[in-house]
Amino acid sequence: MIDKPHLVVIGNGMAGCRAVEEILARDADAYRITIFGAEPRVNYNRIMLSPLLAGDKGFDDIVINDHARYADNLIDLVAGDAVVAIDRSAQTVTARSGRVEHYDKLLLATGSDPFIIPCPGHDLQGVVTFRDMDDVGKMLRAADAGGDAVVIGGGLLGLEAAHGLALRGMKVTVLHLMPTLMERQLDEAAGWLLKEALEARGQVILTGADTAEIIGHGRVEGIRLKDGREIPASLVVMAVGIRPNVALARDAGLAIGRGIHVDDHLVTSDANILAVGECVEHNGLVYGLVAPLWEMCRSLADGLVAVPSGYTGSVTSTKLKVSGIDVFSAGDFSGGAGCEDIVMRDASRGVYKRVVVKGDRLVGAVLYGDTRDGNWYFDLLKRQDDVSDIRDALIFGQAFASGGGADANPDAAVAAMSDDGEICGCNGVSKGKVVSAIVGGAVTLDAVRACTKASASCGSCTGLVEGLLSLTLGDAFAGERAAPTVCKCTSFTHEEVRRLIVEKALKVIPQVMQALHWTTPDGCASCRPALNYYLLCAWPGDYVDDQQSRFVNERMHANIQKDGTYSVVPRMWGGITNPRELRAIADVVDKFKAPLVKVTGGQRLDIFGIRKEDLPAVWADLNAAGMVSGHAYGKTLRTVKTCVGSDWCRFGTQDSTGLGVKIEQMTWGSFMPHKFKIAVSGCPRNCAESTIKDFGVICVDSGYELSIGGNGGIKVRVTDLLCKVATEQEAMDYCAAFIQLYREEARYLDRTAPWVERVGLDYIKQRIVEDAAGRETLRDRFLFSQLFMQDDPWAKRAAGEDYKLHQHLAEIRPMVPA
Amino acid sequence: MSLQAEWLDIGPVDQLPALGARTLPVRGGREIAIFHTANGEVYALVNACPHKAGPLSQGIVHDTTVTCPLHNWRISLVTGQALGSDVGCVPVIPVKIDNGRILIGRAAALAGVV
């Protein structure tokens, strides 16, 4: 072990970590590796900062390598301790803490720094850049306070920052020096369409706007332009560009230009020092996008531990990560001698496409509104394919150009891609890599995501990955493709509908159906209840429940029976009752001539044979004795079954009845994807049958064993142990968090058992057990939504609400002929 | 009202919930369900699914269809026919709206009265 040469990496960002990954993939034993990072965090996906700001992702979603990953590979991660000096003759680096490490090979991956316009006021509080997690943190705090934000810079980064802040409720003005937005990536036409679309969303876009001064006393208060205009702002984001971070390299005497000079194997002017990423200059070019970085890392690893391949520079493409606005560009579209443009517009669909051809090669493409063919154009461009044969159809996209026409197989697009064609831009994954993962046994979308990271970040290439699965596996995948659509009224899956409801801020059922192109006028008996649930879960307190989208039992707050009468189950907290409740139930049975009373499996009493007209009167009588609805009819908490526990039982270890009552009082009334049953047993003898409930608690001497995903129905399933906790409060917190996760992520009509099997116990453990902060926010969201749900529906009906549901419209009494 | 009147007035349209139904018992005969669709049309069927006589009035109404609450059979409000792969038919009672009032066909409503 000691004999292994030591590779020291400066920079724990995307380039540094990717380079290490590529090296390990080729030869895991070649080097002992130490990584220095200036940020006190594990490695995360910097290009996902935009979705993080926009609220589409959380920090955990954008982590690339967690601590375990470093430990597994025996990598020494030194986070939060920046390297301050390199001694090339001694081959050592020195960190700020004074730590010195000897290196055999040194890799510089110092990235770039945001460019700050040196105008007056640039150092005021409230002026931030958009580069790392700390910046996002500052922006989120500013957004919480609300008010006006100014973003300086209308390029990719600036527009994504503006979008995120606008979604967070700030009034956003974008200042851009040039006459068109994203002028380096878009032509004037596409830039204009983009400006219109952003303005329609409420952003103010000022082009040709030159900043003179940022004004304020200690804190930013606004901005003054050179033409004298002033714009108020409590937050100013500078997103005007980046500059390679070459300070360490310069101090060490390496050759630098705009970036650190490297050769085709990413070696600097010192043969023992390599450099990669945004800090390098290769053949006079500096790159600020992620795709070139992946290509550099491959060549670097090839050169260091395998067969040198040589980096030849990158052709880049751009996609804007602003949901609902599709923009793609690649290559050169500035025109010039010998270039010809082919343009197509479809105003009603808001589509603009332009491809630039030089001779018989494609040299550039700009797509707005319909970017499906972006990857295909990019592939043609990178491969320098001869396009003369398909030139006439080029602008209509791959389906037409390949001769397929309207009914072309959608998988044809992905089939026609070359092996090194890029599938996932976020993670730099090629088609070849995905296919070999599938051949190697990753036969589901989740498995491909787990082993290649393709489509695991922004998800926009999910369709391509699915296409590759179906191409590679044939029918074996088609049958297995697990995500079903909500119903025949839509082609969207449950997950997509839920995501779009939040993303597009859809607030009522007709709006969802319109925005998501429902194929029926008002849905069906499958999708209406599902949408009603998804909306209620997404907008607690805001959304008004739609009675007509509820299944009869939930509309009538009782269980319909085969003869059209109903059964009524009042709540008995934790299965405990008393003489007053029993008398009231007995009286109801007598008064309404109920033909049957039965003890249920959930430890309460069920009164059968009540007519819908009599329900409000029955409920009024039960309410009068202090009883409320038992929700025996709903997609909601049914009961918390308990045993008598330590108060009475000679084996009891804890107060299982007391805890059951507390849990039932916390959880009753919640609307969920399906019914939900809980039990608390006072000892491992498990008299309350906790191990076949959705959430089960088994008390032991030292605390509480929590288990999930059990079911006593058609297919019996024993719960999986989630974890053990020490206190009642923890048991309740975990319960609330688990229910909320189920509420937010399961499909409507999924019981917990199939849901847990689908997403995996490890996932649930990660969200509920390992991620303590995440657990708390889930619990808080559950308790918040409960503020609006814990209203006894019987009391309102007994008081006359929705009386039409219980009364006949009229009655016909024919006159009997004499 | 003449005994021979062709139409029976059973009440104002605004007593029907949108996308819902209410019931109309017929003494000595079969209960009728009056349905209200999303675009304001009114239909009437005998309130018994051809499958197991489930109360159609309690089903979810969508387009011109109601889904029976007992076993999810879909019944056309226009023809009374079961849709999809199920086979069966429930009697349809003619309905018309006059001046905000619901009128149903007398003969069909009283069919089977003993």
Side-chain angles (χ1 to χ4, degrees):
Chain A
M1 293 292 277
I2 301 159
D3 299 326
K4 275 204 239 177
H6 189 199
L7 171 66
V8 173
V9 181
I10 303 178
N12 181 34
M14 303 188 63
C17 288
R18 180 59 167 242
V20 168
E21 293 246 328
E22 294 283 352
I23 291 167
L24 290 176
R26 284 162 181 74
D27 185 349
D29 290 322
Y31 286 97
R32 180 167 70 85
I33 299 175
T34 303
I35 303 177
F36 283 89
E39 281 187 75
R41 290 189 188 81
V42 293
N43 168 235
Y44 59 88
N45 193 337
R46 202 180 291 276
I47 64 169
M48 301 308 286
L49 287 176
S50 295
L52 183 71
L53 177 66
D56 296 340
K57 302 271 175 186
F59 179 63
D60 287 347
D61 299 324
I62 72 169
V63 168
I64 299 176
N65 295 319
D66 56 20
H67 283 289
R69 171 87 185 168
Y70 292 102
D72 290 350
N73 286 293
L74 299 174
I75 295 172
D76 196 2
L77 171 64
V78 188
D81 193 7
V83 170
V84 292
I86 301 168
D87 182 339
R88 286 166 55 197
S89 54
Q91 288 187 225
T92 59
V93 297
T94 307
R96 178 164 293 127
S97 64
R99 175 170 175 161
V100 176
E101 287 281 347
H102 177 269
Y103 65 81
D104 296 293
K105 291 281 179 190
L106 178 65
L107 173 58
L108 301 177
T110 47
S112 58
D113 290 328
F115 182 72
I116 310 265
I117 306 172
C119 63
H122 71 266
D123 49 1
L124 286 172
Q125 260 192 56
V127 179
V128 303
T129 56
F130 185 24
R131 191 65 192 150
D132 60 26
M133 286 294 302
D134 292 334
D135 293 331
V136 173
K138 286 178 199 159
M139 288 159 77
L140 291 180
R141 279 192 294 280
D144 280 345
D148 299 293
V150 166
V151 175
I152 307 179
L156 200 59
L157 205 58
L159 294 181
E160 291 181 1
H163 172 66
L165 292 171
L167 281 187
R168 298 271 177 184
M170 294 195 88
K171 187 176 178 316
V172 180
T173 303
V174 176
L175 306 181
H176 192 52
L177 185 61
M178 307 307 278
T180 12
L181 293 176
M182 288 177 67
E183 77 285 348
R184 287 169 59 190
Q185 291 91 16
L186 299 183
D187 61 10
E188 197 185 340
W192 180 80
L193 283 166
L194 178 60
K195 181 166 179 273
E196 292 270 293
L198 293 172
E199 283 171 343
R201 291 174 173 217
Q203 296 184 21
V204 177
I205 312 277
L206 301 179
T207 50
D210 199 355
T211 304
E213 182 186 2
I214 300 173
I215 40 188
H217 302 282
R219 272 207 66 83
V220 60
E221 287 161 21
I223 222 167
R224 179 157 44 239
L225 299 178
K226 289 206 172 138
D227 62 15
R229 274 183 292 180
E230 286 188 12
I231 301 144
S234 57
L235 175 75
V236 171
V237 181
M238 288 231 191
V240 288
I242 52 172
R243 120 187 330 167
N245 186 344
V246 298
L248 268 179
R250 182 195 297 121
D251 293 348
L254 296 174
I256 55 169
R258 278 196 296 153
I260 305 166
H261 280 169
V262 292
D263 67 10
D264 290 351
H265 307 290
L266 290 305
V267 178
T268 66
S269 55
D270 179 329
N272 287 324
I273 303 181
L274 300 95
V276 72
E278 291 178 349
C279 62
V280 311
E281 178 180 330
H282 175 263
N283 274 346
L285 290 174
V286 172
Y287 298 95
L289 291 167
V290 71
L293 192 152
W294 307 140
E295 294 172 6
M296 286 183 206
C297 288
R298 283 196 284 272
S299 299
L300 177 138
D302 286 343
L304 202 57
V305 291
V307 184
S309 54
Y311 175 66
T312 54
S314 295
V315 183
T316 58
S317 70
T318 306
K319 260 184 193 162
L320 182 67
K321 285 186 289 302
V322 171
S323 50
I325 298 183
D326 295 325
V327 182
F328 173 90
S329 94
D332 178 14
F333 42 85
S334 54
C339 285
E340 284 175 87
D341 279 333
I342 310 170
V343 173
M344 189 185 88
R345 287 174 192 272
D346 182 342
S348 64
R349 283 170 58 224
V351 170
Y352 169 80
K353 294 181 174 188
R354 173 175 167 213
V355 296
V356 185
V357 178
K358 189 171 188 175
D360 47 18
R361 311 269 178 242
L362 183 70
V363 296
V366 183
L367 307 176
Y368 184 93
D370 177 358
T371 56
R372 280 174 302 179
D373 286 308
N375 278 343
W376 181 62
Y377 289 128
F378 189 45
D379 215 23
L380 289 176
L381 204 148
K382 279 205 296 190
R383 285 189 314 213
Q384 287 293 295
D385 279 359
D386 185 334
V387 296
S388 48
D389 285 349
I390 53 170
R391 201 198 131 106
D392 289 347
L394 198 57
I395 194 69
F396 300 110
Q398 182 169 22
F400 268 82
S402 328
D407 56 359
N409 180 354
D411 290 342
V414 62
M417 282 175 76
S418 62
D419 268 358
D420 54 4
E422 184 174 83
I423 296 289
C424 174
C426 296
N427 295 299
V429 187
S430 67
K431 174 183 166 185
K433 205 161 170 183
V434 173
V435 170
S436 61
I438 296 169
V439 172
V443 296
T444 63
L445 183 60
D446 285 344
V448 171
R449 283 177 176 167
C451 76
T452 67
K453 299 199 179 83
S455 80
S457 291
C458 80
S460 68
C461 63
T462 302
L464 293 176
V465 175
E466 286 182 332
L468 283 177
L469 277 162
S470 92
L471 270 176
T472 314
L473 300 174
D475 292 344
F477 179 67
E480 201 265 344
R481 193 185 311 229
T485 61
V486 173
C487 65
K488 286 178 180 164
C489 303
T490 176
S491 56
F492 285 108
T493 63
H494 289 268
E495 288 75 12
E496 288 165 337
V497 168
R498 298 197 79 159
R499 178 173 56 80
L500 290 165
I501 282 174
V502 175
E503 241 177 58
K504 295 175 179 268
L506 306 174
K507 297 293 178 77
V508 292
I509 290 176
Q511 194 186 8
V512 176
M513 291 177 173
Q514 178 63 31
L516 305 188
H517 313 289
W518 239 244
T519 57
T520 47
D522 41 20
C524 71
S526 295
C527 59
R528 288 243 313 272
L531 293 181
N532 190 47
Y533 170 69
Y534 292 153
L535 287 164
L536 190 131
C537 183
W539 314 114
D542 252 359
Y543 178 68
V544 180
D545 190 34
D546 178 27
Q547 289 288 333
Q548 305 308 334
S549 296
R550 290 275 199 169
F551 179 63
V552 55
N553 288 355
E554 297 185 326
R555 196 177 339 120
M556 301 305 286
H557 296 289
N559 292 61
I560 196 165
Q561 303 299 322
K562 62 185 276 189
D563 63 353
T565 65
Y566 293 82
S567 82
V568 171
V569 184
R571 194 166 287 287
M572 287 180 177
W573 305 95
I576 296 174
T577 185
N578 58 42
R580 183 173 176 230
E581 291 180 354
L582 291 172
R583 275 192 199 97
I585 290 171
D587 288 345
V588 162
V589 172
D590 281 344
K591 182 170 163 186
F592 296 93
K593 298 187 173 55
L596 177 74
V597 194
K598 187 183 177 309
V599 178
T600 71
Q603 300 186 330
R604 38 203 199 168
L605 292 170
D606 197 347
I607 308 162
F608 283 83
I610 305 293
R611 299 182 309 151
K612 75 173 186 211
E613 306 89 282
D614 290 335
L615 285 171
V618 167
W619 294 333
D621 287 0
L622 294 171
N623 278 164
M627 282 181 282
V628 297
S629 166
H631 290 94
Y633 45 80
K635 314 279 182 254
T636 173
L637 175 82
R638 295 295 178 85
T639 69
V640 179
K641 187 170 181 172
T642 66
C643 69
V644 289
S646 56
D647 274 5
W648 293 86
C649 179
R650 65 205 160 103
F651 299 115
T653 63
Q654 309 279 359
D655 178 15
S656 50
T657 347
L659 176 57
V661 171
K662 283 182 209 160
I663 291 179
E664 188 160 355
Q665 284 173 342
M666 173 179 76
T667 54
W668 75 276
S670 171
F671 191 13
M672 306 193 201
H674 209 307
K675 60 185 170 186
F676 195 96
K677 299 178 179 181
I678 298 178
V680 184
S681 292
C683 80
R685 287 168 188 76
N686 193 16
C687 295
E689 298 166 340
S690 302
T691 47
I692 51 163
K693 301 299 183 213
D694 295 281
F695 187 86
V697 180
I698 293 182
C699 303
V700 291
D701 276 325
S702 55
Y704 305 83
E705 288 175 3
L706 310 180
S707 63
I708 56 163
N711 193 313
I714 295 172
K715 190 175 165 214
V716 178
R717 182 179 194 275
V718 173
T719 49
D720 294 309
L721 180 67
L722 182 68
C723 63
K724 193 178 144 188
V725 296
T727 65
E728 276 197 350
Q729 187 57 50
E730 286 173 289
M732 296 186 49
D733 288 348
Y734 280 66
C735 176
F738 175 69
I739 291 176
Q740 186 65 8
L741 187 68
Y742 169 61
R743 294 183 75 230
E744 290 179 2
E745 300 193 358
R747 297 171 193 152
Y748 186 69
L749 297 188
D750 259 348
R751 286 293 296 272
T752 57
W755 172 63
V756 167
E757 291 201 345
R758 192 169 65 241
V759 302
L761 179 63
D762 287 345
Y763 173 72
I764 310 273
K765 280 185 172 170
Q766 186 257 314
R767 294 289 305 270
I768 304 293
V769 183
E770 290 153 29
D771 178 3
R775 175 177 67 244
E776 280 172 29
T777 60
L778 280 168
R779 177 204 59 197
D780 291 348
R781 284 207 292 278
F782 178 70
L783 296 180
F784 176 73
S785 78
Q786 285 294 80
L787 295 176
F788 310 100
M789 299 308 292
Q790 294 198 320
D791 234 352
D792 176 29
W794 287 359
K796 290 189 238 163
R797 290 287 173 89
E801 188 182 275
D802 292 323
Y803 67 94
K804 289 177 191 169
L805 291 175
H806 298 280
Q807 292 176 6
H808 298 304
L809 176 63
E811 190 180 346
I812 299 179
R813 295 179 192 153
M815 290 168 74
V816 182
Chain B
M1 192 188 344
S2 153
L3 276 179
Q4 308 311 318
E6 194 183 340
W7 296 93
L8 292 172
D9 181 336
I10 56 168
V13 176
D14 63 15
Q15 288 298 300
L16 294 174
L19 278 172
R22 292 188 71 184
T23 44
L24 180 72
V26 180
R27 186 172 290 186
R30 305 180 73 183
E31 187 169 271
I32 294 167
I34 314 287
F35 298 92
H36 203 192
T37 67
N39 53 16
E41 288 162 2
V42 177
Y43 297 94
L45 302 176
V46 165
N47 190 24
C49 180
H51 178 217
K52 300 269 185 183
L56 295 174
S57 60
Q58 305 295 73
I60 288 180
V61 177
H62 43 102
D63 201 4
T64 53
T65 307
V66 61
T67 296
C68 177
L70 290 195
H71 307 96
N72 292 327
W73 275 37
R74 288 181 301 120
I75 309 296
S76 164
L77 298 178
V78 182
T79 65
Q81 295 278 355
L83 302 172
S85 55
D86 297 318
V87 179
C89 189
V90 57
V92 177
I93 291 95
V95 182
K96 65 179 186 182
I97 307 295
D98 186 12
N99 218 0
R101 307 285 301 181
I102 309 164
L103 306 179
I104 62 169
R106 176 194 181 85
L110 298 185
V113 170
V114 288

